[in-house]
Amino acid sequence: MKKRKVVLTEDEMPRQWYNILADIKMNPPLGPDGNPVGPEQLAPVFPMNLIEQEVSTERWIDIPDGILDVLSIWRPAPLIRAYSLEKALDTPARIYYKYEGVSPPGSHKPNTAVAQAYYNKEFGIKKLTTETGAGQWGSALAFACSQYGLECKVYMVRISFDQKPYRKSMMQTWGANCIASPSSETKAGRAILEKDPDTPGSLGIAISEAVEAAVTDESGQTRYSLGSVLNHVMLHQTIIGLEAKKQMEKIGEYPDIVIGCAGGGSNFAGLAFPYAYDKINGKDVAIYPVEPEACPTMTRAPFAYDHGDTAGYTPLLPMHSLGHTFVPPPLHAGGLRYHGMAPTVSQLIVEGILEPKAFGQIATYEAGLLCARTEGVIAAPETNHALACVVDEAKKAKEEGKEKVILFNWSGHGLIDLAAYDKYLSGQLEDFAFPAEDIEEAEKVLESYPKPEILKSV
Ligand SMILES: *Cc1c(COP(=O)(O)O)cnc(C)c1O
């Protein structure tokens, strides 16, 4: 029998996260007055222990036992050799993936949800608010809050709320309260509904609602939680890549190419940042974040200062952005719809350490089907973007006759996203080329803000 999986024991779980801020220069987040925001300005939104992590430049940060205890429900996650996919593609490439679908909510997201719930609880917070798009983040935070006895309120993008009732059922099963966004409960929500009562909603709008709900709560014991984009989220996800490195080492492998899908950047960063660290230190490794052609943040949008949310409540972040007023095309079924990209991922793109790729949604579902019928796992629509790139690279390796080692992150399973597979299987999915006018529109939205410096750390 061939060995498919490389597993670690619980004792071998990493005890520290890797912080990329130790190794790159960053433009600071800016407040409404155009000056860098200080930690105290973020205090109404996040607990101070997480703010300290957000700005820390320590390279290694200890993972508290209270977090490891909960992560050990499903971690360490397996590293799996995709023999069946390799065979189907008749490629000389050796393909490995980290499988993050083994967590209770079915994705990588609880790696940070658990950490965030833990630090909020330690700080004396009683309730967390958040947004969710497809519903994975909302269910991850609902799960994490249930582990630590916190209340949880989730603003779910309207179109997903209507199309994905089972994600809402998961959140409620873990004890969270989930409502459709925009809602009439917040000023931000009411303003959008007044202008456009039939809006499908967007992540940017839902973030505005969740932030507003946290900072206007009079008890002072509510904070907001974000599932991607921010530095501390990327930090918590690095357990993926640190495990992968140990696992690859056990079998004497090192990747030539590291691949992950990127919406806000967190699962990608989780796998890739420990390898970006090697690359910064001279190692030869190609690192590809992958996005949909329908929301081309990394491959076509400007690197600019922009808000993380539609109402403009958040500080200005230096990132690739389609503009905070972006509403994704409703026919896009692949997730990864956020208008911005993690500032750390954006900075590494500017530095040339990462080389972003984009795929049309038909190619992503083709790859998803091929993997379901070979590897067996039905991938999340987001993961399908990574799969499309993996298939592409494996075919290139075949053409070039090279034994490339490809490592990618299988960020989650798609068992709650089967409606999108139905659409693909019944021929209802179309590719959507993002119009050039919309990039110009984004540039106009961003024109009035300060420009980030093009910093080079490497
Ligand atoms: C949320 C999600 C993503 C996209 O978010 P990132 O922060 O870019 O990782 C990708 N895959 C799955 C399965 C998700 O749930």
Side-chain angles (χ1 to χ4, degrees):
M1 195 180 80
K2 281 192 232 170
K3 281 206 182 122
R4 238 184 235 272
K5 290 198 288 298
V6 185
V7 291
L8 300 174
T9 64
E10 287 175 19
D11 291 335
E12 292 173 301
M13 247 204 306
R15 294 295 193 267
Q16 293 180 313
W17 293 297
Y18 166 58
N19 180 13
I20 194 101
L21 294 184
D23 293 295
I24 53 173
K25 291 184 204 136
M26 297 281 294
N27 286 277
L30 302 180
D33 56 0
N35 291 319
V37 280
E40 62 298 333
Q41 283 167 277
L42 296 172
V45 184
F46 301 111
M48 198 44 85
N49 47 9
L50 277 175
I51 296 171
E52 281 161 12
Q53 277 191 347
E54 180 65 19
V55 300
S56 169
T57 53
E58 289 291 315
R59 185 169 289 119
W60 300 100
I61 294 180
D62 289 343
I63 310 177
D65 278 347
I67 292 174
L68 290 168
D69 279 344
V70 177
L71 293 182
S72 69
I73 292 175
W74 74 96
R75 301 207 78 84
L79 177 81
I80 301 176
R81 171 95 182 257
Y83 281 118
S84 312
L85 176 64
E86 287 172 19
K87 197 170 154 208
L89 293 169
D90 187 29
T91 175
R94 297 195 292 285
I95 305 174
Y96 297 89
Y97 63 93
K98 249 326 238 184
Y99 186 47
E100 289 293 314
V102 289
S103 75
S107 78
H108 67 287
K109 289 204 170 76
N111 296 331
T112 184
V114 165
Q116 292 190 45
Y118 171 88
Y119 286 115
N120 273 284
K121 175 86 180 184
E122 286 283 291
F123 196 70
I125 298 305
K126 298 274 190 278
K127 176 176 171 181
L128 290 177
T129 66
T130 197
E131 74 294 332
T132 196
Q136 281 126 328
W137 170 244
S139 42
L141 194 68
F143 156 72
C145 284
S146 76
Q147 287 291 315
Y148 294 102
L150 295 171
E151 251 186 89
C152 179
K153 171 135 189 186
V154 183
Y155 293 83
M156 185 169 187
V157 175
R158 168 104 255 164
I159 188 166
S160 304
F161 187 87
D162 294 338
Q163 289 175 357
K164 299 194 167 185
Y166 293 130
R167 281 283 169 196
K168 185 178 51 188
S169 311
M170 288 170 79
M171 293 179 228
Q172 285 167 347
T173 301
W174 277 310
N177 174 4
C178 172
I179 66 164
S181 164
S183 77
S184 54
E185 287 187 9
T186 64
K187 223 165 83 185
R190 287 190 297 271
I192 301 275
L193 285 175
E194 230 163 74
K195 268 195 273 173
D196 184 2
D198 299 320
T199 175
S202 73
L203 272 176
I205 297 167
I207 295 174
S208 297
E209 290 208 276
V211 171
E212 183 183 324
V215 302
T216 56
D217 183 89
E218 281 165 8
S219 73
Q221 292 181 323
T222 299
R223 293 291 184 278
Y224 164 73
S225 172
L226 186 63
S228 192
V229 179
L230 298 177
N231 303 338
H232 65 271
V233 179
M234 307 294 127
L235 174 80
H236 301 152
Q237 293 292 355
T238 58
I239 192 165
I240 302 171
L242 295 166
E243 281 182 3
K245 269 190 155 175
K246 281 194 175 182
Q247 287 161 312
M248 295 289 273
E249 231 165 71
K250 281 193 179 218
I251 51 169
E253 290 274 44
Y254 190 90
D256 297 299
I257 308 174
V258 176
I259 294 170
C261 66
S266 73
N267 87 86
F268 164 78
L271 178 68
F273 280 7
Y275 290 99
Y277 173 69
D278 289 353
K279 188 162 179 169
I280 289 167
N281 288 291
K283 190 98 185 169
D284 184 18
V285 49
I287 312 179
Y288 304 151
V290 188
E291 68 184 3
E293 279 174 359
C295 303
T297 314
M298 300 178 291
T299 52
R300 290 176 61 195
F303 176 64
Y305 266 115
D306 195 10
H307 293 289
D309 70 312
T310 304
Y313 291 154
T314 76
L316 289 167
L317 301 173
M319 60 184 177
H320 288 87
S321 176
L322 291 162
H324 60 275
T325 53
F326 174 72
V327 176
L331 55 89
H332 171 62
L336 311 176
R337 298 176 178 90
Y338 185 57
H339 67 272
M341 180 50 60
T344 46
V345 171
S346 297
Q347 178 60 28
L348 286 163
I349 293 171
V350 171
E351 306 251 4
I353 297 287
L354 311 178
E355 300 160 70
K357 313 270 179 200
F359 286 85
Q361 64 179 349
I362 306 252
T364 70
Y365 278 88
E366 276 171 1
L369 238 71
L370 175 64
C371 289
R373 291 173 185 181
T374 52
E375 291 305 305
V377 179
I378 298 178
E382 292 85 354
T383 308
N384 284 347
H385 294 79
L387 298 176
C389 185
V390 168
V391 168
D392 210 44
E393 292 302 320
K395 286 182 177 165
K396 273 189 214 157
K398 182 179 177 182
E399 280 160 25
E400 296 167 11
K402 284 198 183 132
E403 276 190 34
K404 291 247 166 98
V405 177
I406 300 173
L407 170 66
F408 74 98
N409 200 15
W410 196 306
S411 53
H413 69 63
L415 298 182
I416 317 282
D417 304 288
L418 293 173
Y421 277 87
D422 281 345
K423 269 196 183 162
Y424 169 72
L425 291 167
S426 59
Q428 290 173 55
L429 280 195
E430 290 164 41
D431 280 336
F432 176 81
F434 195 80
E437 303 92 81
D438 289 10
I439 297 283
E440 282 163 27
E441 191 57 41
E443 279 162 357
K444 251 184 254 155
V445 170
L446 300 170
E447 217 160 58
S448 58
Y449 299 135
K451 299 273 166 290
E453 266 184 77
I454 300 299
L455 300 167
K456 279 295 205 180
S457 344
V458 187

